Amino acid sequence: MERRIDVGVLGATGMVGQQFVLQLANHPWFRLIWLGASERSAGQRYGDAAPWRLPTPPPREVAEMRVEAAQPGTAPELVFSAMDASVAGEIEQAFARSGHVVVSNSRNHRLDADVPLLIPEVNGDHIGLIAKQRALRRWPGAIVTNPNCSTVFLAMALAPLRVFGLQSVIVTTLQALSGAGYPGVAALDAVANVIPFIDGEEAKMETETKKILGALAADHIEPHPVAVSAQTTRVPVINGHTESIAVSLEARPSSDDVREALLRFSGPPQHHGLPTAPLQPIVYLPEQNRPQPRLDVDRDHGMTVSIGRLRTCPVLGYKFIALGHNTVRGAAGAAVLNAELLVAEGVLAVPVER
Ligand code: NAP
């Protein structure tokens, strides 16, 4: 693509917002020209507005940009959103009403019937809801969302197994501290400990997964009938959510069939060759002690889900371990991939003149 599309980030000063800034640095299709946050940060130089929390510094030209108030008008057509959920709902709607395409990472609109909850490899066709959304809400813009971080990895692991007749799933997560944002969990709670509760997380996994795996109907998504039972825990890992998953499959495939289905899995991002797409969305690791967050979380720039330890389960049929990068594939990288799909599928136009 010769001409890049101007983009902005709402909530640019937060943990996920900073990850967006890195994901968009040197992006071949997108050019970051606008940063929005709360009134507390508006007017400040981005480099001064909030302490930088990631190991790679922001590009110098981005650090010099002024933070804007989160109001539509001055922002480009395409904006990524990483705002606090307490404010994201209203502000994202105001942007869509003013003609912006909001690619959001926040939870507020994920379960709205006319809003795509996208993982491009799994349900790229759900962008068909955008036309319905525009007609229903009478707005020229759009809202597109990505799932909760732990739901992304579960849905990606389950998607290739749909062909075997997914019946029920039990998942237990071991989630990284970075998933709680900054400052997140108190050090005295987190160090050498496991916290068996993450507010709202289990309900998100159980409901979002059914929408993501569901089928596009005329004006809504018909949820997949799979029954999902989730337990979520916080563990002293910096990046990477690990998930212990057991599944019941109606067709009773062999373990080779299951492994093959996971390995062969790909979708529109791979077919279009989208810039942020991993070569293989799922990598199967044959070693007995993998995947591990420390060794496997950054595979393919954090966009690949690593799976291992596939074996029979005496209760449900099969069980395995999955791992994904929560702030990349589970947040900013997921949203950037969604926006790339919107461009590839013609929902977002490439500028013809600059
Ligand atoms: P965070 O670090 O607390 O950042 C929140 C951002 O929202 C900041 O940029 C903040 O700007 C902005 N904000 C707050 N009030 C605002 C207002 N009134 N108007 C405009 N902007 C406002 O949170 P986070 O961890 O990055 O999470 C951001 C979103 O992503 C949340 O909805 C979260 O649930 C979701 N999420 C997070 C993760 C993760 O791994 N952390 C994963 C998936 C999804 P100021 O700096 O100016 O206050």
Side-chain angles (χ1 to χ4, degrees):
M1 190 180 292
E2 282 180 15
R3 294 180 181 81
R4 290 192 293 165
I5 298 171
D6 289 343
V7 303
V9 175
L10 281 160
T13 49
M15 277 283 286
V16 177
Q18 295 185 3
Q19 194 76 55
F20 268 119
V21 166
L22 289 189
Q23 289 281 329
L24 293 166
N26 304 315
H27 192 285
W29 294 7
F30 302 137
R31 191 171 66 120
L32 179 59
I33 63 152
W34 188 91
L35 301 166
S38 76
E39 297 289 350
R40 293 181 290 277
S41 309
Q44 296 187 54
R45 185 180 158 272
Y46 182 64
D48 299 330
W52 190 256
R53 310 260 179 225
L54 300 176
T56 306
R60 195 170 303 148
E61 66 277 14
V62 177
E64 293 304 325
M65 287 163 63
R66 291 279 145 196
V67 178
E68 308 277 338
Q71 289 157 1
T74 58
E77 180 188 5
L78 172 58
V79 288
F80 295 96
S81 169
M83 285 181 292
D84 193 272
S86 62
V87 296
E90 287 291 317
I91 297 175
E92 290 176 358
Q93 290 190 63
F95 271 72
R97 219 175 283 122
S98 304
H100 296 275
V101 174
V102 183
V103 179
S104 175
N105 183 58
S106 300
R107 67 166 183 262
N108 306 62
H109 295 292
R110 286 181 190 149
L111 296 178
D112 292 4
D114 56 353
V115 171
L117 179 56
L118 269 191
I119 302 176
E121 287 93 342
V122 177
N123 62 352
D125 62 321
H126 288 197
I127 61 173
L129 281 179
I130 292 173
K132 198 76 210 167
Q133 185 190 120
R134 285 177 165 156
L136 266 173
R137 306 211 193 197
R138 298 202 181 114
W139 60 30
I143 298 176
V144 170
T145 59
N146 61 258
N148 164 258
C149 42
S150 39
T151 307
V152 173
F153 317 131
L154 177 66
M156 285 182 68
L158 296 180
L161 309 182
R162 278 183 291 195
V163 291
F164 302 123
L166 260 180
Q167 292 177 310
S168 49
V169 177
I170 295 180
V171 55
T172 304
T173 68
L174 300 91
Q175 297 185 213
L177 295 171
S178 59
Y182 192 91
V185 185
L188 269 180
D189 289 339
V191 175
N193 200 15
V194 173
I195 300 165
F197 175 69
I198 303 175
D199 198 10
E201 196 81 352
E202 289 157 1
K204 286 182 210 165
M205 292 188 81
E206 292 175 1
T207 50
E208 290 181 15
T209 304
K210 291 163 73 75
K211 177 173 178 181
I212 297 159
L213 297 177
L216 177 66
D219 60 353
H220 69 287
I221 304 297
E222 201 53 49
H224 193 285
V226 63
V228 182
S229 171
Q231 298 206 79
T232 57
T233 75
R234 187 79 66 194
V235 295
V237 162
I238 295 175
N239 290 316
H241 291 353
T242 302
E243 303 186 357
S244 163
I245 300 169
V247 288
S248 146
L249 302 171
E250 194 179 0
R252 302 189 182 275
S254 70
S255 60
D256 283 347
D257 290 341
V258 173
R259 198 176 294 107
E260 268 299 295
L262 294 170
L263 275 171
R264 277 203 317 269
F265 179 62
S266 73
Q270 287 70 39
H271 304 155
H272 288 300
L274 301 182
T276 302
L279 279 178
Q280 259 182 274
I282 293 175
V283 168
Y284 187 84
L285 303 172
E287 296 88 343
Q288 282 192 348
N289 60 354
R290 303 283 279 277
Q292 295 179 22
R294 206 183 288 170
L295 300 178
D296 301 309
V297 77
D298 290 323
R299 191 178 300 279
D300 224 340
H301 307 287
M303 289 299 287
T304 294
V305 172
S306 298
I307 293 184
R309 303 210 61 221
L310 174 68
R311 60 220 190 275
T312 54
C313 164
V315 179
L316 287 189
Y318 284 107
K319 54 187 172 181
F320 55 88
I321 304 287
L323 165 78
H325 197 307
N326 50 296
T327 63
V328 182
R329 187 64 191 213
V336 172
L337 191 63
N338 283 350
E340 291 170 1
L341 183 75
L342 297 182
V343 175
E345 298 282 341
V347 176
L348 273 163
V350 179
V352 287
E353 271 179 32
R354 193 162 288 293

